[in-house]
Amino acid sequence: MPSRSGSQRPPGSGRSSPERGLLLLLLLLVLLPLGDASSAGVGHQEHAGNHTAANGRHNFTKKPFPVLSLDYHHIQTPFEISLWVLLASLMKLGFHLIPRLSNIVPESCLLIVVGLLVGGLIKLAGEKVPPVLDSRLFFLCLLPPIILDAGYFLPIRPFMENIGTILMFAVVGTLWNAFFIGGILYAVCQSQPDLNKLSLLPCLLFGSIVSAVDPVAVLAVFEEIHINELLHILVFGESLLNDAVTVVLYHLFDEYSAAGPVTVLDAFLGVISFLVVALGGVLVGAIYGFLSAFTSRFTSHTRVIEPLFVFVYSYMAYLSAEMFHLSGIMALISCGAVMRPYVEANISHKSHTTIKYFLKMWSSVSETLIFIFLGVATVDGPHSWNWIFVTVTVILCLVARVIGVIGLTYIINNFRIVKLTTKDQFIIAYGGLRGAIAFSLGFLLDDGRFPMREMFLTAIITVIFFTVFVQGMTIKPLVELLAVKKKQEAKRTINEEIHTQFLDHLLTGIEDICGHYGHHHWKDKLNRFNKKYVKKCLIVGERSKEPQLIAFYHKMEMKQAIELVESGGGVKMPSAVPSTVSMQNIQPKKPPPAKSAERSLPQLPKGREEEIRKILRSNLQKTRQRLRSYNRHTLVVDPYEDGFGDLLIKKQKMIELEKKIKEMNNYLTVPAAPPDSPTMCRARLASDPQAYSVKQSSDSVPTIQVDLASPQSPDSVNVMDEFRRAKQQQEEEEEYQGLMMKPPQGPSGPNKPGEADTTRDPQKLTRCLSDPGPSADEDEDEPFLS
Amino acid sequence: MGASQTRTGNEHQHLMDKTGFSSEQIKNLRKRFLQLSGNEETIRNQRGDEAGAFQEIGFEQFLMVMCHFRPPTLKMTAEEKEAMRKEKLRFLFNMHDTDNDGTITLEEYRKVVEELLSKSGAIGQETAEAIADAAMLEVASTNVPHMAPDEFYEGITFQHFEQILKGLEMESRMNIRFLDVDTTTMRCGRSTS
C-alpha cells in the first residue's frame, strides 16, 4: 500500500495536491478500520492474557518493572468511537477535495460506498463487524443532533403557511403508503409458495417501516439541489412530521402481530394514540422550549454556558418524549422552534455563534456517520435475499408514493391558495427518500416473533439503496431538466421587508372586512399575544419591545457599514450595487430644519458598548457575506477567504490607522449602536434564514448610512448631532471602529462641483481610511461614511 | 318576484364577468356588504373629509377592490399571472401614492413606514424617517444607478416599484381566501351599525 502511493506521480504539478490528499485518505481509510478491528482482537487477547496471568500466579515472582505497557482494553470504547468519528470527518474532507465527483454524485451515496468498503475490509480481515447501527446508538446519539439542527433553523414562516399541506402528506400520505404496501405485499406473498407463512400483520408492520420518508436522507440530498423554498419545506416538513405516524403504526403492529387480529377497538385506540403521540411530543418540546427561553433570561452574567442550556434542554425534551413513547422528533422540532426567537434575543452574540457552529458540526458528523454505518451494516447484516419480495417492495414503494402524492394534491389543491403544479408534484413524489430510520426500526424487530426479519432487513436496505442512489443521483439533472424554480439567493432588501409587513397588515384588514377568520387573522392574534405577554416574560430588558422592522433595519445597516469599511481597504465588495446615488439625491432641497427638540439619550451600558466595539473591531479583518440558505454544510460564504495575504496587509493598515486616529479624536465618533442590542453585533452573522428576532428599540436611532458620493445633506446634520451627543456620553472615544463620521461644520454645506466626479469615490474612500488628513478644515468636504 | 330575480341574475353575471368571482362568492360578499353598511346601498366614509377619497362606495366598487385579492388559478398562463401581478402591484402603489401623481415621494413613503411602526409604542419619528430614507435610497440605487450628486430623485415610479418588489412574487402572496360558504356570523371589528 505505501509503495503504491509513493510510486504514483500524477502529471502536472497543479493537480498534485488533491490527488495526493485523496491517496493519503485512502491510506488512512485502510489503516483505520484495520486498526479498529485488530485492536478489538488485541483487546481480547490482552484480556485473556490478564486472566491467565492472574489465575496462574499466586506467588508473585518479581519481574522487572514494566516501563512501557500496552493496555488497550482500558480505552477501547472511546478509542473506537473516536476512530469512527475521525474516519467520517476525513471522508468529508476528502470529498470536497474532488469537486468533480461531488457535483455528480451526492455525498450520501459516496458515504454509503465508503461504509461498504470499510465493512468489507473489516470482514476481509476476519474480524467481527461492530454492531454499529445498533438502534439505541442510532436513536439516542446519532439522530438527535440532526433533528435539533433542523428544528432550530426551521424557517417558521413558510412552514406555518404550508402546515396544512405538510400534515396531509405526513399523516394521510404515510398511512396510505403503509397500508398499500403492506396489503399488496401480503397478497403477493400469499400467492407465493415460499412466502406463505407471512401473515397480514407482519406485512403491515413492514409496510409501515418502509413507507416513512426519512429526514436525514431528504436533508442530505435536497441541500445540494437548491430547490425553491416551497418544495423544500413541503418534503422536509413531511419527513419530520411523519415520525408520529411511524411510531404509532410501528408499536401498534408490533404489539398485535403476536396477539392476534386487530379489532375495531384497537384501531380506534390507535387513532387516539396517534393524537396523543403527536400532540404530546409537541407539548413536551414546547414546555422544554419555554423553560430554556426562561433560563436564558438570567444568563447575562454567565455567558459561557449559554449554549449548554440550549443543547441540554433540547436533548432532555427528546429523551422525555422517548420515555413516554411519544414522538421524540416532534418534541425536538417544537423545542427548537419555540425557544429560538426568545433565546436569540437574550444571549450574547458569541453564544449565538457557538450554538450555530456546534449544531452544524454535530449534525454534519452525525449524518456522515449514519451513512457510513449504513454501508457497514449492509455488509455485516444477516441477509436473506428473496427476489420477489424485494422487487415487489421496491416497485410498490415507488407506485404508492406517486399515487399518494397525486391523490393528495388533488384534494389539497382545493384548499390551497397557491396550487401545486404537476412539476411540483413530481418533485415531491421523487423526493420521498427512505433512509436509516427505516433500517434501525427494522433492526429493532424481535427475531423470535418475526422469523422473516432478515428478509425484511434485506428489502429495507434495497429500498434505501435504490432511493438514495438512483433517486438521489438523478434528482439534480431532473430538476435542471424540468426547470423547477430554484432558491432565490438574493439578499433581502429593506423594501421587501417593509412590504412584507405591510402586506401582513393589509391582508389581515381585508380578511376582517370580508368577515371570516382566515389565516392572517390568527397569525395576527398570535403575534399580538406573543408581544403582549410572552415576550415580556421571556426576554430580558428592553429588547422585548423592538419591532421586527427596526431590528431588521439595524442589522442591515450594520452589515452595510462593515462591508463598506472593509471594501474601503481596497478589496472589491461583491455585493454592492455599483451606484452613486446618495442621500442627497433623495432629499428634496429644503432649508435646514429648526434645531430638534432636546432628547435625552439613554445611557449606553458600558459593558454592552464594549462588546459592540470589540466585535466591530474584530470584524474589520474579515467580512462575511450573508447567505440566506438552509445549507448545512456551508455556514458562511466568505468572499475573502482566499485573500489571506490581503487580510494581513489590511490588518496592518488598520493598525496604522488606529494610531493616526488616536491623535485626532475630535473628528471621530463612535457609531452608537442602540443600546443592548445583540442584533447589531450579530448583523454580520450569516446563514440565518430567519432575518428577524425581537430586539430592543430606543428612542433615538442613530443610523449608519453609507454615503458613497458626497457631502452633507440637511437631514444628516441631525444624525450627526445625535452622534456627537452620544459620543460625549461615552468615556472612551479613541477606539477606532472603522467608520468615520464627521461632525458637520455647519448646516448644509454647498456641494462642491469637484465632488461630482463619481468615479473617484472608491479611491476617495480608500484615501479616507488610510489617510484621514491632518485637520478638520481640510476634511470638510471629504466624503464621510454615513 | 321572477323579474327581480332575473335582474339580480343579470347583475351578478355582469359582476362575475368583471371581477372574476363566482356566483356564491358574490352572494356572500353582498351579504357582508349589507352587514357593513347597515342594510343600505352604500358604505359611508367614516373618516370624514379626505382629499381625493370617496364619500361613499357602492357594492360594485367594493367588489372591484376585493377582486384585487383573488388568488391565481391553476389554469392561468404565464402572461395572465404577470398581468395579475401587475394589477396587485398597482393596487399597492396606489395605496402608497396618496396624492395620485404617479410617484411615491419621500414624504409619502415616510408616512407608510410611520404607520407601520405606529403600533409599536414610542419609536419616534426619527426611526421611521431613517428607515424610509434608506428604503428610498435602495430603490434609487437599484433603478438609477448613476446619478450625479445634484440630480434629484423625484420619487418611486410604478416601474421602479415593480422592479424592487420583483422578488416577492405578489401573485402568490397578496391573496386571501374567498369562501363559497356563508360565514357572515362573524362581525367586523369596527362595525358601522
Side-chain angles (χ1 to χ4, degrees):
Chain A
M1 290 289 183
S3 57
R4 200 178 60 164
S5 68
S7 60
Q8 270 191 2
R9 196 141 304 198
S13 58
R15 299 236 221 100
S16 59
S17 22
E19 311 282 353
R20 287 256 170 87
L22 178 62
L23 288 169
L24 209 61
L25 281 170
L26 277 177
L27 194 62
L28 270 166
L29 162 61
V30 169
L31 287 179
L32 281 174
L34 275 184
D36 177 28
S38 61
S39 58
V42 165
H44 287 308
Q45 283 167 18
E46 185 75 25
H47 204 61
N50 280 339
H51 271 311
T52 48
N55 289 342
R57 288 172 215 260
H58 288 294
N59 47 336
F60 295 112
T61 52
K62 188 156 182 240
K63 353 178 261 174
F65 189 76
V67 176
L68 192 65
S69 55
L70 179 71
D71 186 4
Y72 182 68
H73 187 68
H74 186 57
I75 51 131
Q76 183 181 358
T77 316
F79 191 76
E80 285 175 4
I81 295 176
S82 310
L83 270 184
W84 280 111
V85 174
L86 195 60
L87 173 71
S89 318
L90 289 173
M91 281 303 110
K92 242 180 145 46
L93 277 184
F95 296 144
H96 288 284
L97 284 177
I98 320 176
R100 278 168 295 150
L101 195 58
S102 46
N103 273 341
I104 308 174
V105 187
E107 213 174 89
S108 41
C109 303
L110 292 171
L111 290 170
I112 295 187
V113 170
V114 167
L116 288 171
L117 281 175
V118 170
L121 282 167
I122 296 184
K123 260 223 157 120
L124 273 179
E127 297 294 335
K128 178 177 167 320
V129 175
V132 280
L133 219 47
D134 176 30
S135 295
R136 280 196 67 198
L137 176 70
F138 179 75
F139 281 112
L140 292 183
C141 301
L142 291 178
L143 193 60
I146 303 181
I147 305 294
L148 179 60
D149 179 38
Y152 195 76
F153 293 112
L154 191 69
I156 293 287
R157 205 186 167 106
F159 187 75
M160 282 303 166
E161 280 175 10
N162 294 299
I163 189 83
T165 316
I166 293 176
L167 276 176
M168 273 287 267
F169 276 124
V171 177
V172 180
T174 312
L175 279 173
W176 156 259
N177 276 351
F179 283 102
F180 185 75
I181 295 178
I184 306 251
L185 258 182
Y186 177 64
V188 166
C189 286
Q190 291 301 93
S191 68
Q192 293 297 314
D194 47 341
L195 299 170
N196 232 335
K197 34 189 165 24
L198 210 57
S199 58
L200 180 63
L201 280 172
C203 277
L204 284 177
L205 178 60
F206 177 73
S208 69
I209 294 177
V210 91
S211 66
V213 177
D214 186 79
V216 180
V218 163
L219 259 181
V221 168
F222 267 53
E223 257 177 17
E224 303 183 1
I225 60 179
H226 298 300
I227 208 163
N228 68 46
E229 205 179 57
L230 172 67
L231 287 178
H232 183 106
I233 201 69
L234 280 180
V235 181
F236 183 56
E238 177 196 345
S239 69
L240 290 175
L241 294 187
N242 66 20
D243 180 59
V245 182
T246 313
V247 164
V248 170
L249 283 179
Y250 182 82
H251 284 299
L252 191 71
F253 292 134
D254 198 22
E255 286 280 317
Y256 291 114
S257 58
V262 178
T263 63
V264 175
L265 179 66
D266 294 329
F268 182 65
L269 283 179
V271 170
I272 305 268
S273 165
F274 164 70
L275 287 173
V276 167
V277 161
L279 295 177
V282 170
L283 190 66
V284 167
I287 292 176
Y288 274 99
F290 281 122
L291 273 177
S292 166
F294 191 65
T295 312
S296 72
R297 194 185 160 165
F298 303 107
T299 55
S300 40
H301 299 291
T302 43
R303 294 282 181 194
V304 192
I305 55 172
E306 274 173 340
L308 192 65
F309 286 116
V310 171
F311 299 140
V312 170
Y313 273 113
S314 314
Y315 194 48
M316 284 190 66
Y318 180 75
L319 293 176
S320 309
E322 288 289 321
M323 183 167 70
F324 294 107
H325 281 304
L326 304 174
S327 166
I329 290 184
M330 292 182 82
L332 262 183
I333 301 282
S334 72
C335 184
V338 160
M339 78 171 144
R340 188 176 173 210
Y342 309 110
V343 162
E344 287 201 344
N346 286 331
I347 60 179
S348 74
H349 102 287
K350 280 193 182 142
S351 305
H352 180 87
T353 315
T354 310
I355 292 179
K356 201 179 298 202
Y357 266 94
F358 262 90
L359 278 179
K360 303 285 186 199
M361 179 187 81
W362 271 329
S363 67
S364 207
V365 169
S366 253
E367 182 189 296
T368 316
L369 273 177
I370 287 180
F371 281 113
I372 292 185
F373 286 169
L374 253 183
V376 171
T378 309
V379 171
D380 169 46
H383 289 302
S384 137
W385 180 270
N386 185 313
W387 274 105
I388 310 235
F389 190 77
V390 171
T391 44
V392 168
T393 308
V394 173
I395 296 177
L396 276 183
C397 281
L398 285 174
V399 168
R401 177 86 182 151
V402 170
I403 299 181
V405 168
I406 295 183
L408 280 176
T409 317
Y410 182 71
I411 303 176
I412 288 172
N413 268 345
N414 292 335
F415 298 102
R416 277 181 71 87
I417 298 184
V418 178
K419 322 272 182 198
L420 294 174
T421 64
T422 320
K423 256 194 259 182
D424 295 338
Q425 291 175 37
F426 177 74
I427 297 290
I428 295 176
Y430 208 67
L433 308 171
R434 285 21 177 211
I437 291 187
F439 182 78
S440 303
L441 283 177
F443 211 76
L444 262 180
L445 288 175
D446 181 20
D447 224 347
R449 276 189 290 162
F450 299 99
M452 317 298 278
R453 178 173 171 263
E454 293 170 8
M455 195 171 69
F456 286 174
L457 279 180
T458 314
I460 294 175
I461 288 192
T462 317
V463 172
I464 296 178
F465 272 43
F466 182 80
T467 55
V468 172
F469 278 92
V470 174
Q471 286 179 241
M473 278 204 271
T474 54
I475 200 168
K476 197 163 185 182
L478 273 174
V479 162
E480 305 277 340
L481 194 69
L482 292 175
V484 181
K485 245 187 309 187
K486 290 281 189 89
K487 180 160 45 191
Q488 281 180 314
E489 296 289 356
K491 264 196 302 193
R492 204 177 168 89
T493 65
I494 191 149
N495 278 294
E496 285 182 359
E497 181 67 25
I498 291 179
H499 280 97
T500 311
Q501 299 232 351
F502 188 78
L503 265 185
D504 268 346
H505 289 284
L506 177 67
L507 291 175
T508 313
I510 299 279
E511 272 190 1
D512 252 358
I513 293 180
C514 277
H516 67 263
Y517 284 132
H519 175 75
H520 290 94
H521 178 96
W522 293 117
K523 202 159 65 160
D524 193 54
K525 270 214 154 109
L526 186 66
N527 279 338
R528 278 181 217 260
F529 176 72
N530 193 16
K531 202 182 208 160
K532 203 161 166 202
Y533 299 111
V534 186
K535 279 186 186 167
K536 290 225 177 77
C537 181
L538 295 178
I539 297 183
V540 64
E542 288 301 306
R543 278 169 248 163
S544 45
K545 296 206 201 68
E546 196 179 56
Q548 272 179 358
L549 189 57
I550 298 200
F552 178 82
Y553 175 64
H554 287 335
K555 260 197 209 172
M556 211 191 62
E557 290 286 279
M558 193 71 165
K559 218 165 19 95
Q560 266 183 6
I562 294 177
E563 272 179 7
L564 200 73
V565 163
E566 188 57 23
S567 82
V571 181
K572 201 159 166 11
M573 197 164 63
S575 63
V577 174
S579 151
T580 56
V581 181
S582 76
M583 285 309 296
Q584 58 149 111
N585 291 110
I586 298 175
Q587 311 291 348
K589 304 223 182 335
K590 55 182 194 252
K595 187 113 171 60
S596 46
E598 298 293 358
R599 220 182 356 257
S600 61
L601 285 178
Q603 186 77 22
L604 286 175
K606 182 84 168 13
R608 228 357 126 176
E609 201 186 283
E610 190 50 41
E611 202 184 332
I612 293 174
R613 274 203 222 110
K614 254 194 282 184
I615 288 152
L616 274 181
R617 174 194 263 142
S618 66
N619 290 343
L620 282 180
Q621 270 85 45
K622 39 193 190 287
T623 317
R624 298 278 186 261
Q625 176 98 351
R626 187 191 183 96
L627 186 70
R628 281 192 73 232
S629 83
Y630 317 134
N631 189 325
R632 292 183 18 247
H633 303 298
T634 51
L635 267 185
V636 296
V637 168
D638 185 5
Y640 309 120
E641 196 117 56
D642 301 325
F644 191 65
D646 282 350
L647 286 177
L648 287 178
I649 297 174
K650 259 183 280 171
K651 193 168 179 175
Q652 280 174 7
K653 261 199 248 170
M654 297 303 182
I655 297 177
E656 282 167 359
L657 210 44
E658 278 196 55
K659 288 205 208 109
K660 278 198 191 144
I661 283 159
K662 271 187 169 62
E663 295 152 16
M664 20 166 317
N665 52 7
N666 1 344
Y667 303 113
L668 301 173
T669 55
V670 177
D676 279 330
S677 175
T679 332
M680 293 289 284
C681 325
R682 280 186 243 129
R684 43 168 285 288
L685 287 184
S687 90
D688 202 323
Q690 186 117 29
Y692 19 84
S693 50
V694 180
K695 298 291 180 273
Q696 187 211 4
S697 73
S698 61
D699 279 344
S700 65
V701 177
T703 59
I704 309 168
Q705 296 159 326
V706 180
D707 186 347
L708 285 181
S710 87
Q712 312 155 2
S713 57
D715 275 42
S716 45
V717 171
N718 284 341
V719 176
M720 292 318 305
D721 275 338
E722 292 290 302
F723 279 136
R724 246 198 296 170
R725 249 180 277 147
K727 193 197 79 148
Q728 279 153 15
Q729 291 186 10
Q730 297 153 12
E731 290 160 40
E732 297 176 1
E733 302 159 5
E734 30 324 321
E735 303 215 341
Y736 175 56
Q737 298 304 315
L739 297 165
M740 293 203 307
M741 316 262 183
K742 285 175 59 285
Q745 299 305 310
S748 61
N751 307 333
K752 276 206 174 147
E755 308 295 319
D757 186 354
T758 56
T759 53
R760 275 170 47 211
D761 288 338
Q763 293 106 331
K764 251 193 167 167
L765 276 177
T766 316
R767 224 169 14 103
C768 194
L769 281 175
S770 55
D771 182 14
S775 73
D777 295 322
E778 238 184 49
D779 286 342
E780 178 168 18
D781 296 315
E782 292 257 329
F784 62 94
L785 293 176
S786 61
Chain B
M1 202 52 146
S4 72
Q5 287 227 330
T6 44
R7 204 179 26 213
T8 45
N10 287 340
E11 229 175 72
H12 271 199
Q13 189 59 42
H14 163 72
L15 287 172
M16 273 165 71
D17 293 334
K18 201 163 169 203
T19 60
F21 283 125
S22 74
S23 182
E24 295 86 18
Q25 287 171 340
I26 293 188
K27 283 207 197 82
N28 284 326
L29 285 172
R30 175 117 190 121
K31 270 206 205 121
R32 182 64 185 170
F33 181 81
L34 289 177
Q35 212 176 34
L36 290 174
S37 69
N39 274 323
E40 300 187 21
E41 277 307 308
T42 59
I43 298 180
R44 251 166 278 271
N45 190 344
Q46 297 286 312
R47 292 216 271 182
D49 285 322
E50 260 178 27
F54 276 2
Q55 285 304 102
E56 49 186 36
I57 58 169
F59 182 57
E60 189 162 327
Q61 289 149 331
F62 180 72
L63 272 190
M64 284 310 295
V65 168
M66 286 297 147
C67 86
H68 283 103
F69 294 94
R70 275 184 55 242
T73 61
L74 256 185
K75 302 178 202 57
M76 277 184 155
T77 62
E79 294 91 30
E80 287 177 350
K81 280 203 179 138
E82 186 63 31
M84 180 175 242
R85 194 164 66 83
K86 249 192 159 78
E87 204 184 291
K88 293 187 198 254
L89 280 175
R90 188 88 217 169
F91 185 83
L92 276 186
F93 186 80
N94 290 339
M95 275 190 84
H96 294 328
D97 184 18
T98 43
D99 59 358
N100 269 324
D101 61 353
T103 54
I104 303 179
T105 61
L106 188 62
E107 275 309 312
E108 290 166 347
Y109 211 21
R110 277 188 185 157
K111 246 210 185 52
V112 171
V113 176
E114 253 173 57
E115 273 179 16
L116 258 189
L117 295 177
S118 63
K119 280 286 163 53
S120 314
I123 293 303
Q125 221 190 359
E126 288 280 318
T127 320
E129 277 183 17
I131 295 181
D133 291 349
M136 200 76 166
L137 181 62
E138 212 176 60
V139 179
S141 327
T142 29
N143 284 305
V144 196
H146 299 287
M147 270 178 112
D150 49 355
E151 276 181 47
F152 177 56
Y153 182 67
E154 294 286 339
I156 311 181
T157 62
F158 185 59
Q159 279 83 13
H160 295 177
F161 192 69
E162 255 185 305
Q163 183 67 22
I164 55 166
L165 289 185
K166 226 177 16 178
L168 272 188
E169 280 184 17
M170 276 302 163
E171 71 271 13
S172 323
R173 295 182 71 141
M174 188 165 142
N175 304 310
I176 67 167
R177 201 187 301 276
F178 288 102
L179 300 179
D180 289 334
V181 291
D182 188 3
T183 50
T184 50
T185 48
M186 233 205 76
R187 302 235 158 248
C188 187
R190 280 179 272 277
S191 75
T192 55
S193 50

